[in-house]
Amino acid sequence: MGDHKEQPLRVGAAVRRRRRALNLTLAVVAGRSGLSVPFLSQVENDRARPSQSSLEKVADALRTTAVELLAAADPACSVDVVRADTTDPAPEPRTRSLVRGHHQMHASEYTGDHDAGRELQHRNDQLMYVADGAVEIEAEGRAYRLGRGDTLYLTGGVRHRWRATVPETRIVVVAVAEHIEAVRDRPRR
């Protein structure tokens, strides 16, 4: 009672809208992402749910982020409860959106290892909070080791990558949404 939606997010319509906005065919997205046209068609029609890895490949092919696609999956609402997953945790890495809909901020929880080789860059500022475990974050040529309860703030535009250094690490990433122009050209120090 009081929960906005009890069902899992369906990203198919968001993927289709983004692909069409870019005037791309399924074949072009398949070529860019390394995924098959039939699979992408099933995703767009909500007959298949992509893994986090597949969603990131689709997002890269569509020149966006998985967070943006997830955010576009549900309409915005003023109050929304996102319940913790009560099933037994899967051994593989997981990403869970903590904010649904098209809002001014996004928050995601990452559990387990992460693709440490994947460099990330967000348009706007973000905060990374280590809820459990430990991570190593590389940003602007420096490595930062964070443990439980530590936070790292990144100004928009900073290229970075991170990896869990302890199994079942959980980090929460809160960021100003990509569609918000919160960062104007700041002088670099």
Side-chain angles (χ1 to χ4, degrees), residues 46-143:
D46 287 320
R47 290 192 305 264
R49 284 188 60 190
S51 67
Q52 182 63 30
S53 173
S54 293
L55 186 59
E56 287 174 357
K57 289 176 183 177
V58 170
D60 287 345
L62 295 174
R63 312 271 193 262
T64 189
T65 65
V67 170
E68 283 294 315
L69 289 174
L70 289 169
D74 280 340
C77 58
S78 58
V79 176
D80 188 16
V81 175
V82 178
R83 299 280 181 205
D85 188 5
T86 57
T87 61
D88 289 334
E92 74 255 9
R94 301 183 306 284
T95 302
R96 181 171 72 100
S97 182
L98 302 176
V99 177
R100 293 185 285 215
H102 196 67
H103 295 286
Q104 293 184 10
M105 70 168 219
H106 294 290
S108 297
E109 177 186 66
Y110 296 88
T111 303
D113 206 357
H114 179 71
D115 183 1
R118 184 169 187 236
E119 187 174 67
L120 306 166
Q121 181 180 26
H122 300 281
R123 175 181 176 175
N124 294 318
D125 297 359
Q126 71 175 7
L127 176 89
M128 300 176 82
Y129 170 76
V130 181
D132 283 313
V135 296
E136 183 175 272
I137 301 169
E138 181 186 315
E140 295 191 325
R142 290 188 59 198

